[in-house]
Amino acid sequence: KIDDVSRRIYTNKTYVSRALNHGMSKNFNQFVNYYRVREACCIYIMDPMNSITDLCDKCGFKNLSSFSTAFSLHVGYTPAEWCREVKKKIVNNEKVSVEDYFS
């Protein structure tokens, strides 16, 4: 929560919110979800046997709907589409990097 982050860095939530909005053009939830989605991608690349539900759970999303929405927003693919593409690359011994999907 933004309140927790604010307390840990000894400031207020307004400052944190403004810093994210101006510096990254993201609100707090978008910022957190960006890193959750990146983590889901890393987990899948390391072990493509993870299901989409596993990725959702491991990365702190409350439900598949919010995971899918955040994933599509940040990656440009649905989780299923992305997983299929990555699995093909892995099977074909192609290099797969999270950086390929995030700028």
XYZ file of all heavy atoms in Angstrom:
843
model
N 0.838 -1.179 0.000
C 0.000 0.000 0.000
C 0.883 1.242 0.000
O 1.971 1.235 0.565
C -0.895 0.015 1.231
C -1.925 -1.092 1.252
C -2.771 -0.986 2.499
C -3.762 -2.134 2.536
N -4.559 -2.093 3.751
N 0.371 2.283 -0.615
C 1.134 3.519 -0.701
C 1.438 4.091 0.683
O 2.502 4.663 0.906
C 0.435 4.548 -1.621
C 1.395 5.683 -1.966
C -0.851 5.045 -0.995
C 0.903 6.575 -3.096
N 0.530 3.898 1.631
C 0.783 4.365 3.003
C 1.988 3.650 3.614
O 2.816 4.279 4.287
C -0.444 4.143 3.893
C -1.598 5.063 3.539
O -1.334 6.214 3.121
O -2.754 4.641 3.688
N 2.097 2.356 3.381
C 3.218 1.580 3.916
C 4.547 2.044 3.315
O 5.539 2.215 4.025
C 3.023 0.089 3.650
C 1.792 -0.483 4.332
O 1.377 0.073 5.374
O 1.244 -1.472 3.817
N 4.559 2.242 2.016
C 5.774 2.708 1.343
C 6.154 4.088 1.864
O 7.321 4.350 2.174
C 5.586 2.730 -0.194
C 6.759 3.418 -0.880
C 5.399 1.326 -0.732
N 5.188 4.952 1.974
C 5.446 6.316 2.448
C 6.078 6.310 3.836
O 7.051 7.031 4.081
C 4.143 7.122 2.497
O 3.564 7.188 1.229
N 5.534 5.509 4.725
C 6.083 5.426 6.080
C 7.518 4.905 6.078
O 8.368 5.399 6.797
C 5.212 4.528 6.961
C 4.179 5.307 7.733
C 3.429 4.432 8.734
N 2.043 4.386 8.264
C 1.422 3.319 7.804
N 1.980 2.147 7.789
N 0.176 3.401 7.381
N 7.770 3.911 5.248
C 9.112 3.309 5.220
C 10.178 4.263 4.689
O 11.351 4.116 5.019
C 9.115 2.030 4.401
C 8.459 0.903 5.142
C 8.639 -0.391 4.393
N 8.063 -1.438 5.193
C 8.679 -2.565 5.453
N 9.866 -2.799 4.951
N 8.109 -3.474 6.193
N 9.781 5.186 3.842
C 10.766 6.140 3.318
C 10.616 7.514 3.972
O 11.159 8.498 3.484
C 10.723 6.225 1.776
C 9.376 6.720 1.259
C 11.098 4.889 1.158
C 9.348 6.990 -0.237
N 9.880 7.541 5.073
C 9.741 8.738 5.908
C 9.233 9.961 5.146
O 9.805 11.040 5.216
C 11.070 9.064 6.607
C 11.572 7.920 7.432
C 12.605 7.119 6.967
C 10.982 7.606 8.655
C 13.060 6.034 7.711
C 11.428 6.519 9.415
C 12.463 5.751 8.931
O 12.914 4.676 9.661
N 8.142 9.749 4.423
C 7.494 10.859 3.719
C 5.992 10.603 3.738
O 5.513 9.740 4.448
C 8.061 11.014 2.296
O 7.599 12.245 1.738
C 7.704 9.852 1.395
N 5.254 11.361 2.957
C 3.806 11.154 2.927
C 3.374 10.606 1.577
O 4.119 10.645 0.601
C 3.064 12.456 3.278
C 3.345 13.562 2.287
O 3.155 13.393 1.092
N 3.805 14.702 2.776
N 2.153 10.083 1.549
C 1.687 9.417 0.317
C 1.491 10.404 -0.834
O 1.632 10.017 -1.992
C 0.430 8.605 0.586
C -0.792 9.374 0.939
C -1.940 8.415 1.209
C -3.215 9.180 1.522
N -4.324 8.269 1.746
N 1.219 11.653 -0.542
C 1.075 12.649 -1.609
C 2.394 12.811 -2.353
O 2.425 12.859 -3.586
C 0.608 14.002 -1.032
O -0.635 13.790 -0.352
C 0.432 15.030 -2.116
N 3.487 12.872 -1.616
C 4.806 13.007 -2.238
C 5.122 11.787 -3.101
O 5.590 11.927 -4.230
C 5.888 13.198 -1.167
C 7.259 13.322 -1.763
C 7.705 14.529 -2.300
C 8.110 12.221 -1.822
C 8.954 14.635 -2.874
C 9.365 12.314 -2.393
C 9.783 13.523 -2.912
O 11.021 13.619 -3.493
N 4.881 10.607 -2.579
C 5.144 9.376 -3.332
C 4.300 9.349 -4.602
O 4.801 9.055 -5.692
C 4.877 8.119 -2.467
C 4.963 6.850 -3.309
C 5.840 8.058 -1.301
N 3.036 9.684 -4.460
C 2.133 9.684 -5.603
C 2.589 10.672 -6.678
O 2.649 10.340 -7.859
C 0.713 10.030 -5.131
O -0.167 10.038 -6.217
N 2.943 11.873 -6.273
C 3.409 12.882 -7.236
C 4.709 12.456 -7.912
O 4.881 12.646 -9.113
C 3.608 14.224 -6.548
C 2.333 14.953 -6.304
C 2.601 16.355 -5.810
N 1.342 16.965 -5.406
C 1.223 17.846 -4.454
N 2.281 18.266 -3.794
N 0.047 18.348 -4.147
N 5.616 11.896 -7.132
C 6.895 11.460 -7.691
C 6.685 10.390 -8.767
O 7.310 10.436 -9.835
C 7.804 10.935 -6.582
N 5.805 9.439 -8.491
C 5.527 8.395 -9.484
C 4.828 8.969 -10.711
O 5.170 8.622 -11.851
C 4.673 7.283 -8.869
C 5.382 6.409 -7.849
C 4.389 5.491 -7.155
C 6.484 5.594 -8.505
N 3.848 9.846 -10.479
C 3.121 10.437 -11.600
C 4.028 11.262 -12.498
O 3.966 11.155 -13.719
C 1.959 11.297 -11.095
C 0.790 10.461 -10.634
O 0.458 9.458 -11.235
N 0.163 10.861 -9.546
N 4.881 12.069 -11.899
C 5.752 12.943 -12.690
C 6.974 12.217 -13.234
O 7.361 12.433 -14.382
C 6.188 14.152 -11.861
C 5.063 15.087 -11.547
N 4.393 15.807 -12.515
C 4.472 15.393 -10.373
C 3.445 16.516 -11.952
N 3.460 16.284 -10.646
N 7.564 11.352 -12.433
C 8.796 10.685 -12.839
C 8.605 9.490 -13.740
O 9.444 9.201 -14.582
N 7.494 8.784 -13.562
C 7.296 7.550 -14.316
C 5.992 7.518 -15.093
O 5.706 6.527 -15.768
C 7.357 6.354 -13.365
C 8.677 6.256 -12.629
S 8.790 4.755 -11.671
C 9.177 3.587 -12.962
N 5.191 8.550 -14.957
C 3.882 8.605 -15.619
C 3.010 7.406 -15.261
O 2.300 6.862 -16.103
C 4.026 8.709 -17.142
O 4.736 9.867 -17.490
N 3.110 6.980 -14.000
C 2.309 5.859 -13.504
C 1.740 6.231 -12.139
O 2.384 6.939 -11.376
C 3.166 4.611 -13.316
C 3.711 3.987 -14.570
C 4.515 2.743 -14.232
C 5.212 2.067 -15.350
N 4.824 2.208 -16.671
N 0.541 5.731 -11.858
C 0.054 5.874 -10.493
C 0.646 4.732 -9.663
O 1.322 3.847 -10.198
C -1.477 5.942 -10.435
C -2.158 4.653 -10.838
O -1.691 3.554 -10.567
N -3.302 4.788 -11.490
N 0.404 4.741 -8.366
C 1.028 3.757 -7.488
C 0.651 2.332 -7.881
O 1.520 1.450 -7.953
C 0.655 4.028 -6.023
C 1.311 3.087 -5.074
C 2.646 3.231 -4.748
C 0.602 2.034 -4.511
C 3.277 2.353 -3.874
C 1.221 1.152 -3.638
C 2.566 1.316 -3.323
N -0.623 2.081 -8.158
C -1.045 0.724 -8.521
C -0.415 0.260 -9.827
O -0.007 -0.901 -9.948
C -2.569 0.634 -8.596
C -3.211 0.689 -7.234
O -2.594 0.333 -6.239
N -4.442 1.154 -7.169
N -0.315 1.146 -10.803
C 0.334 0.787 -12.066
C 1.810 0.462 -11.844
O 2.347 -0.472 -12.440
C 0.196 1.924 -13.076
C -1.204 2.138 -13.583
C -1.355 3.437 -14.351
O -0.638 4.410 -14.094
N -2.294 3.466 -15.283
N 2.447 1.243 -10.985
C 3.854 1.027 -10.658
C 4.064 -0.352 -10.033
O 4.936 -1.118 -10.460
C 4.314 2.136 -9.702
C 5.704 1.977 -9.180
C 6.801 2.294 -9.969
C 5.921 1.534 -7.885
C 8.092 2.162 -9.468
C 7.203 1.398 -7.383
C 8.300 1.714 -8.184
N 3.255 -0.679 -9.038
C 3.371 -1.978 -8.367
C 3.056 -3.112 -9.342
O 3.786 -4.110 -9.411
C 2.451 -2.038 -7.127
C 2.383 -3.446 -6.563
C 2.928 -1.056 -6.064
N 2.000 -2.960 -10.112
C 1.617 -4.024 -11.046
C 2.660 -4.237 -12.140
O 2.861 -5.367 -12.589
C 0.241 -3.744 -11.645
C -0.867 -4.018 -10.662
O -0.677 -4.705 -9.658
N -2.039 -3.479 -10.933
N 3.337 -3.180 -12.557
C 4.416 -3.309 -13.533
C 5.460 -4.305 -13.021
O 5.871 -5.226 -13.739
C 5.050 -1.938 -13.784
C 6.287 -1.969 -14.631
C 6.196 -1.982 -16.021
C 7.557 -1.981 -14.062
C 7.339 -2.000 -16.809
C 8.696 -2.004 -14.836
C 8.587 -2.011 -16.213
O 9.714 -2.045 -16.984
N 5.868 -4.134 -11.774
C 6.884 -5.027 -11.217
C 6.338 -6.416 -10.912
O 7.062 -7.411 -11.025
C 7.556 -4.388 -9.995
C 8.512 -3.305 -10.448
C 8.140 -1.970 -10.413
C 9.747 -3.641 -10.982
C 8.994 -0.985 -10.885
C 10.606 -2.665 -11.456
C 10.228 -1.338 -11.402
O 11.077 -0.365 -11.884
N 5.073 -6.514 -10.573
C 4.468 -7.844 -10.384
C 4.437 -8.608 -11.692
O 4.735 -9.808 -11.744
C 3.049 -7.703 -9.838
C 2.973 -7.323 -8.395
C 1.540 -7.182 -7.972
N 1.429 -6.952 -6.547
C 0.350 -6.503 -5.957
N -0.743 -6.232 -6.663
N 0.327 -6.322 -4.660
N 4.075 -7.928 -12.769
C 4.013 -8.569 -14.090
C 5.417 -8.971 -14.544
O 5.619 -10.078 -15.061
C 3.309 -7.656 -15.121
C 3.492 -8.184 -16.530
C 1.830 -7.516 -14.785
N 6.396 -8.100 -14.333
C 7.787 -8.456 -14.671
C 8.220 -9.717 -13.920
O 8.857 -10.608 -14.490
C 8.753 -7.325 -14.320
C 8.882 -6.265 -15.373
C 9.942 -5.249 -14.972
N 11.270 -5.817 -15.065
C 12.093 -5.669 -16.099
N 11.709 -4.954 -17.141
N 13.284 -6.206 -16.105
N 7.872 -9.775 -12.651
C 8.224 -10.947 -11.846
C 7.531 -12.197 -12.388
O 8.146 -13.268 -12.455
C 7.867 -10.714 -10.378
C 8.233 -11.857 -9.468
C 9.726 -12.125 -9.349
O 10.550 -11.285 -9.782
O 10.084 -13.195 -8.827
N 6.285 -12.077 -12.780
C 5.566 -13.216 -13.366
C 6.284 -13.707 -14.621
O 6.443 -14.921 -14.820
C 4.123 -12.830 -13.687
N 6.741 -12.787 -15.432
C 7.473 -13.161 -16.649
C 8.776 -13.871 -16.308
O 9.117 -14.892 -16.923
C 7.738 -11.927 -17.505
S 6.258 -11.195 -18.237
N 9.496 -13.351 -15.337
C 10.758 -13.995 -14.909
C 10.504 -15.406 -14.407
O 11.244 -16.341 -14.753
C 11.425 -13.164 -13.814
S 12.120 -11.607 -14.373
N 9.482 -15.555 -13.584
C 9.145 -16.874 -13.038
C 8.819 -17.850 -14.163
O 9.282 -18.989 -14.169
C 7.970 -16.769 -12.042
C 8.429 -16.047 -10.762
C 7.400 -18.145 -11.705
C 7.286 -15.659 -9.841
N 8.041 -17.396 -15.136
C 7.650 -18.280 -16.231
C 8.846 -18.667 -17.097
O 8.988 -19.828 -17.497
C 6.562 -17.643 -17.092
C 5.994 -18.616 -18.087
C 5.052 -19.557 -17.685
C 6.418 -18.629 -19.403
C 4.549 -20.491 -18.583
C 5.916 -19.544 -20.304
C 4.984 -20.470 -19.893
O 4.493 -21.390 -20.774
N 9.707 -17.709 -17.388
C 10.880 -18.003 -18.209
C 11.772 -19.031 -17.512
O 12.315 -19.931 -18.158
C 11.655 -16.706 -18.551
C 10.842 -15.879 -19.560
C 13.042 -17.011 -19.109
C 11.365 -14.469 -19.782
N 11.891 -18.914 -16.201
C 12.715 -19.863 -15.442
C 12.062 -21.243 -15.354
O 12.758 -22.257 -15.299
C 12.977 -19.331 -14.032
C 13.802 -18.072 -14.001
S 15.452 -18.272 -14.663
C 16.173 -19.283 -13.400
N 10.718 -21.267 -15.335
C 10.003 -22.541 -15.220
C 8.666 -22.454 -15.949
O 7.648 -22.096 -15.369
C 9.770 -22.903 -13.755
C 9.067 -24.249 -13.593
O 8.859 -24.962 -14.602
O 8.728 -24.586 -12.446
N 8.654 -22.787 -17.242
C 7.429 -22.692 -18.033
C 6.351 -23.716 -17.674
O 5.298 -23.757 -18.300
C 7.898 -22.866 -19.483
C 9.281 -23.350 -19.427
C 9.813 -23.126 -18.057
N 6.605 -24.507 -16.653
C 5.571 -25.430 -16.182
C 4.567 -24.715 -15.275
O 3.532 -25.276 -14.926
C 6.201 -26.609 -15.440
C 7.086 -27.487 -16.322
S 6.254 -28.092 -17.817
C 5.078 -29.202 -17.081
N 4.860 -23.480 -14.883
C 3.918 -22.703 -14.081
C 2.682 -22.394 -14.901
O 2.783 -22.000 -16.065
C 4.555 -21.378 -13.643
C 5.469 -21.537 -12.473
O 5.021 -21.788 -11.360
N 6.775 -21.395 -12.705
N 1.522 -22.529 -14.294
C 0.282 -22.149 -14.962
C 0.058 -20.649 -14.779
O 0.712 -20.004 -13.951
C -0.896 -22.915 -14.364
O -1.148 -22.451 -13.044
N -0.860 -20.108 -15.526
C -1.203 -18.694 -15.388
C -1.737 -18.426 -13.986
O -1.414 -17.404 -13.379
C -2.181 -18.265 -16.499
C -1.455 -18.317 -17.848
C -2.730 -16.861 -16.233
C -2.323 -18.174 -19.059
N -2.497 -19.350 -13.448
C -2.998 -19.208 -12.078
C -1.842 -19.183 -11.081
O -1.849 -18.385 -10.143
C -3.974 -20.350 -11.741
O -5.042 -20.343 -12.688
C -4.544 -20.190 -10.344
N -0.840 -20.035 -11.294
C 0.347 -20.027 -10.430
C 1.035 -18.669 -10.472
O 1.412 -18.122 -9.436
C 1.365 -21.092 -10.869
C 0.905 -22.518 -10.649
O 0.013 -22.734 -9.804
O 1.437 -23.411 -11.343
N 1.209 -18.139 -11.672
C 1.876 -16.843 -11.827
C 1.085 -15.742 -11.125
O 1.668 -14.896 -10.435
C 2.050 -16.505 -13.307
C 2.926 -17.450 -14.121
C 2.878 -17.088 -15.589
C 4.350 -17.459 -13.595
N -0.207 -15.776 -11.298
C -1.097 -14.806 -10.656
C -0.919 -14.848 -9.140
O -0.709 -13.810 -8.493
C -2.538 -15.119 -11.046
S -3.795 -14.120 -10.242
N -0.952 -16.024 -8.579
C -0.820 -16.203 -7.128
C 0.564 -15.813 -6.624
O 0.695 -15.116 -5.616
C -1.109 -17.646 -6.730
C -2.566 -18.043 -6.939
O -3.421 -17.144 -7.033
O -2.831 -19.263 -7.023
N 1.601 -16.254 -7.317
C 2.970 -16.009 -6.875
C 3.354 -14.532 -6.907
O 4.274 -14.118 -6.207
C 3.958 -16.811 -7.730
C 3.922 -18.290 -7.457
C 4.858 -19.047 -8.368
C 4.783 -20.543 -8.077
N 5.677 -21.321 -8.942
N 2.647 -13.764 -7.725
C 3.014 -12.351 -7.897
C 2.056 -11.386 -7.207
O 2.135 -10.177 -7.416
C 3.153 -12.035 -9.374
S 4.533 -12.968 -10.065
N 1.170 -11.921 -6.382
C 0.372 -11.063 -5.517
C -0.908 -10.500 -6.081
O -1.481 -9.575 -5.495
N -1.371 -11.016 -7.189
C -2.648 -10.552 -7.726
C -3.788 -11.277 -7.025
O -3.667 -12.453 -6.697
C -2.713 -10.774 -9.237
C -1.855 -9.809 -10.009
C -0.554 -10.137 -10.339
C -2.344 -8.575 -10.391
C 0.251 -9.260 -11.041
C -1.550 -7.683 -11.095
C -0.248 -8.025 -11.422
N -4.875 -10.565 -6.807
C -6.006 -11.150 -6.076
C -6.850 -12.075 -6.943
O -7.506 -12.969 -6.439
C -6.880 -10.052 -5.486
C -6.176 -9.307 -4.379
C -7.063 -8.286 -3.743
C -6.283 -7.571 -2.649
N -7.065 -6.605 -1.936
N -6.858 -11.822 -8.256
C -7.653 -12.671 -9.144
C -7.075 -12.636 -10.553
O -6.260 -11.762 -10.891
C -9.128 -12.248 -9.136
C -9.321 -10.805 -9.520
O -8.933 -10.397 -10.610
N -9.914 -10.014 -8.630
N -7.509 -13.591 -11.365
C -7.002 -13.705 -12.742
C -7.384 -12.513 -13.599
O -6.627 -12.122 -14.491
C -7.509 -14.994 -13.383
C -6.798 -16.266 -12.963
C -7.519 -17.483 -13.500
C -5.359 -16.262 -13.439
N -8.532 -11.927 -13.325
C -8.979 -10.791 -14.112
C -8.029 -9.601 -13.961
O -7.613 -8.988 -14.953
C -10.400 -10.392 -13.708
O -10.809 -9.256 -14.423
N -7.672 -9.278 -12.725
C -6.762 -8.144 -12.517
C -5.363 -8.475 -13.043
O -4.679 -7.608 -13.602
C -6.715 -7.724 -11.049
O -6.260 -8.767 -10.235
N -4.946 -9.726 -12.925
C -3.654 -10.145 -13.468
C -3.648 -9.993 -14.987
O -2.722 -9.415 -15.561
C -3.357 -11.599 -13.077
C -2.096 -12.145 -13.681
C -0.859 -11.608 -13.356
C -2.134 -13.219 -14.546
C 0.315 -12.115 -13.898
C -0.973 -13.744 -15.089
C 0.251 -13.185 -14.768
N -4.683 -10.471 -15.644
C -4.758 -10.399 -17.104
C -4.786 -8.961 -17.596
O -4.116 -8.615 -18.581
C -5.996 -11.136 -17.619
O -5.872 -12.509 -17.368
N -5.532 -8.120 -16.912
C -5.605 -6.709 -17.297
C -4.244 -6.043 -17.162
O -3.783 -5.352 -18.081
C -6.648 -5.966 -16.432
O -7.928 -6.574 -16.645
C -6.720 -4.498 -16.777
N -3.590 -6.232 -16.024
C -2.273 -5.635 -15.800
C -1.251 -6.200 -16.785
O -0.432 -5.461 -17.343
C -1.817 -5.876 -14.366
N -1.292 -7.488 -17.007
C -0.351 -8.140 -17.916
C -0.496 -7.562 -19.324
O 0.492 -7.174 -19.949
C -0.595 -9.651 -17.928
C 0.562 -10.440 -18.467
C 1.458 -11.033 -17.600
C 0.749 -10.602 -19.829
C 2.532 -11.770 -18.078
C 1.802 -11.327 -20.322
C 2.709 -11.915 -19.455
N -1.716 -7.476 -19.801
C -1.963 -6.941 -21.144
C -1.506 -5.497 -21.260
O -0.936 -5.095 -22.282
C -3.442 -7.052 -21.501
O -3.830 -8.404 -21.558
N -1.745 -4.715 -20.227
C -1.351 -3.307 -20.231
C 0.163 -3.164 -20.336
O 0.663 -2.345 -21.109
C -1.849 -2.623 -18.954
C -1.408 -1.174 -18.747
C -2.137 -0.262 -19.731
C -1.682 -0.733 -17.323
N 0.907 -3.960 -19.597
C 2.352 -3.786 -19.531
C 3.137 -4.582 -20.569
O 4.233 -4.177 -20.941
C 2.851 -4.134 -18.126
C 2.348 -3.188 -17.087
N 2.724 -1.870 -17.024
C 1.464 -3.357 -16.084
C 2.112 -1.275 -16.022
N 1.335 -2.164 -15.442
N 2.585 -5.694 -21.035
C 3.314 -6.556 -21.970
C 2.776 -6.439 -23.398
O 3.503 -6.616 -24.360
C 3.290 -8.029 -21.493
C 4.039 -8.938 -22.438
C 3.877 -8.146 -20.092
N 1.510 -6.138 -23.519
C 0.918 -6.044 -24.855
C 0.342 -7.352 -25.367
O -0.090 -7.439 -26.510
N 0.377 -8.365 -24.545
C -0.190 -9.676 -24.847
C -1.044 -10.096 -23.655
O -0.788 -9.667 -22.530
C 0.905 -10.755 -24.962
C 1.867 -10.638 -26.086
C 3.057 -9.924 -25.946
C 1.630 -11.286 -27.288
C 3.980 -9.847 -26.977
C 2.547 -11.217 -28.331
C 3.717 -10.495 -28.169
O 4.622 -10.441 -29.189
N -1.985 -10.995 -23.893
C -2.638 -11.634 -22.749
C -1.624 -12.602 -22.155
O -0.666 -13.010 -22.837
C -3.901 -12.424 -23.172
O -3.502 -13.539 -23.967
C -4.898 -11.549 -23.907
N -1.801 -12.990 -20.901
C -0.851 -13.957 -20.329
C -0.762 -15.251 -21.150
O 0.334 -15.772 -21.365
C -1.412 -14.225 -18.928
C -2.194 -13.006 -18.594
C -2.766 -12.530 -19.905
N -1.894 -15.751 -21.630
C -1.893 -17.003 -22.404
C -1.113 -16.837 -23.706
O -0.323 -17.722 -24.080
C -3.324 -17.458 -22.678
N -1.334 -15.729 -24.410
C -0.612 -15.491 -25.666
C 0.894 -15.417 -25.418
O 1.686 -16.020 -26.143
C -1.065 -14.169 -26.310
C -2.472 -14.165 -26.833
C -2.964 -12.776 -27.198
O -2.427 -11.766 -26.689
O -3.908 -12.696 -28.002
N 1.261 -14.668 -24.381
C 2.671 -14.490 -24.062
C 3.320 -15.824 -23.683
O 4.422 -16.140 -24.154
C 2.835 -13.462 -22.938
C 4.258 -13.169 -22.639
C 5.078 -12.286 -23.296
C 5.054 -13.783 -21.620
N 6.328 -12.309 -22.727
C 6.348 -13.228 -21.703
C 4.803 -14.742 -20.650
C 7.374 -13.583 -20.848
C 5.830 -15.115 -19.796
C 7.098 -14.536 -19.899
N 2.646 -16.590 -22.842
C 3.187 -17.883 -22.426
C 3.382 -18.818 -23.613
O 4.398 -19.516 -23.701
C 2.294 -18.531 -21.370
S 2.365 -17.723 -19.758
N 2.422 -18.825 -24.536
C 2.569 -19.669 -25.738
C 3.789 -19.240 -26.555
O 4.578 -20.079 -27.014
C 1.312 -19.607 -26.602
C 0.216 -20.529 -26.172
C -0.884 -20.669 -27.219
N -1.568 -19.405 -27.497
C -2.603 -18.927 -26.807
N -3.084 -19.620 -25.787
N -3.164 -17.792 -27.142
N 3.950 -17.934 -26.731
C 5.083 -17.424 -27.514
C 6.413 -17.781 -26.846
O 7.344 -18.245 -27.501
C 4.978 -15.907 -27.673
C 6.143 -15.329 -28.458
C 6.022 -13.838 -28.697
O 4.948 -13.390 -29.131
O 7.018 -13.138 -28.456
N 6.489 -17.569 -25.556
C 7.723 -17.850 -24.824
C 8.019 -19.349 -24.831
O 9.165 -19.768 -25.029
C 7.651 -17.280 -23.386
C 8.776 -17.809 -22.521
C 7.669 -15.759 -23.433
N 6.997 -20.163 -24.636
C 7.208 -21.616 -24.627
C 7.746 -22.083 -25.985
O 8.649 -22.919 -26.041
C 5.915 -22.353 -24.279
C 6.162 -23.808 -23.911
C 4.930 -24.479 -23.392
C 4.911 -24.346 -21.894
N 3.879 -25.155 -21.252
N 7.232 -21.524 -27.080
C 7.735 -21.872 -28.420
C 9.212 -21.536 -28.541
O 9.999 -22.315 -29.069
C 6.962 -21.107 -29.503
C 5.716 -21.744 -29.968
C 5.155 -20.940 -31.141
C 3.705 -21.240 -31.352
N 3.110 -20.390 -32.391
N 9.568 -20.340 -28.062
C 10.972 -19.932 -28.139
C 11.855 -20.859 -27.316
O 12.954 -21.225 -27.752
C 11.132 -18.489 -27.658
C 10.605 -17.471 -28.634
C 10.832 -16.054 -28.134
C 10.356 -15.052 -29.161
N 10.643 -13.674 -28.740
N 11.401 -21.230 -26.152
C 12.187 -22.123 -25.293
C 12.358 -23.488 -25.963
O 13.461 -24.044 -25.989
C 11.542 -22.245 -23.893
C 11.677 -20.905 -23.147
C 12.158 -23.383 -23.099
C 10.877 -20.816 -21.864
N 11.272 -24.013 -26.518
C 11.324 -25.317 -27.205
C 12.287 -25.260 -28.394
O 13.003 -26.213 -28.668
C 9.904 -25.748 -27.661
C 9.957 -26.897 -28.639
C 9.067 -26.114 -26.446
N 12.338 -24.109 -29.072
C 13.225 -23.942 -30.230
C 14.624 -23.469 -29.840
O 15.406 -23.065 -30.705
C 12.607 -22.966 -31.230
C 11.373 -23.526 -31.889
O 11.272 -24.734 -32.115
N 10.422 -22.669 -32.196
N 14.922 -23.505 -28.540
C 16.225 -23.083 -28.020
C 16.589 -21.648 -28.397
O 17.760 -21.323 -28.592
C 17.338 -24.036 -28.459
C 17.208 -25.380 -27.810
O 16.899 -25.473 -26.622
N 17.432 -26.434 -28.579
N 15.576 -20.791 -28.506
C 15.817 -19.372 -28.762
C 16.001 -18.655 -27.430
O 15.441 -19.064 -26.412
C 14.630 -18.750 -29.510
C 14.421 -19.306 -30.895
C 13.188 -18.713 -31.561
O 12.959 -17.495 -31.412
O 12.453 -19.470 -32.211
N 16.775 -17.599 -27.475
C 17.001 -16.805 -26.268
C 15.722 -16.053 -25.914
O 15.077 -15.458 -26.761
C 18.124 -15.803 -26.497
C 18.465 -14.972 -25.292
C 19.584 -13.996 -25.601
C 19.798 -13.141 -24.377
N 19.734 -11.733 -24.675
N 15.352 -16.101 -24.646
C 14.180 -15.384 -24.157
C 14.606 -14.513 -22.983
O 15.245 -15.002 -22.052
C 13.055 -16.348 -23.691
C 11.854 -15.579 -23.214
C 12.680 -17.317 -24.790
N 14.267 -13.251 -23.072
C 14.614 -12.315 -22.005
C 13.388 -11.468 -21.660
O 12.643 -11.073 -22.543
C 15.757 -11.401 -22.470
O 15.948 -10.359 -21.540
N 13.232 -11.191 -20.385
C 12.150 -10.317 -19.947
C 12.299 -8.955 -20.620
O 11.306 -8.315 -20.980
C 12.168 -10.177 -18.410
C 11.208 -9.107 -17.947
C 11.833 -11.502 -17.765
N 13.536 -8.533 -20.827
C 13.791 -7.214 -21.427
C 13.217 -7.105 -22.841
O 12.969 -6.001 -23.315
C 15.296 -6.924 -21.454
C 15.933 -6.917 -20.079
C 15.247 -5.996 -19.089
O 14.819 -4.893 -19.453
O 15.133 -6.404 -17.920
N 12.992 -8.240 -23.493
C 12.395 -8.224 -24.831
C 10.958 -7.693 -24.805
O 10.441 -7.265 -25.827
C 12.380 -9.623 -25.448
C 13.764 -10.175 -25.685
O 14.733 -9.387 -25.754
O 13.883 -11.420 -25.798
N 10.324 -7.743 -23.642
C 8.912 -7.399 -23.527
C 8.657 -6.130 -22.712
O 7.517 -5.675 -22.625
C 8.148 -8.584 -22.919
C 8.280 -9.811 -23.765
C 9.248 -10.778 -23.502
C 7.468 -9.997 -24.878
C 9.399 -11.889 -24.303
C 7.611 -11.107 -25.689
C 8.577 -12.053 -25.399
O 8.733 -13.156 -26.206
N 9.685 -5.595 -22.096
C 9.550 -4.383 -21.296
C 10.554 -3.352 -21.752
O 11.693 -3.678 -22.012
C 9.789 -4.680 -19.807
C 8.729 -5.529 -19.178
C 8.805 -6.913 -19.260
C 7.669 -4.955 -18.526
C 7.828 -7.709 -18.697
C 6.692 -5.742 -17.950
C 6.760 -7.128 -18.047
N 10.095 -2.111 -21.828
C 11.039 -1.059 -22.252
C 11.574 -0.307 -21.074
O 11.183 -0.440 -19.963
C 10.340 -0.107 -23.199
O 9.146 0.383 -22.639
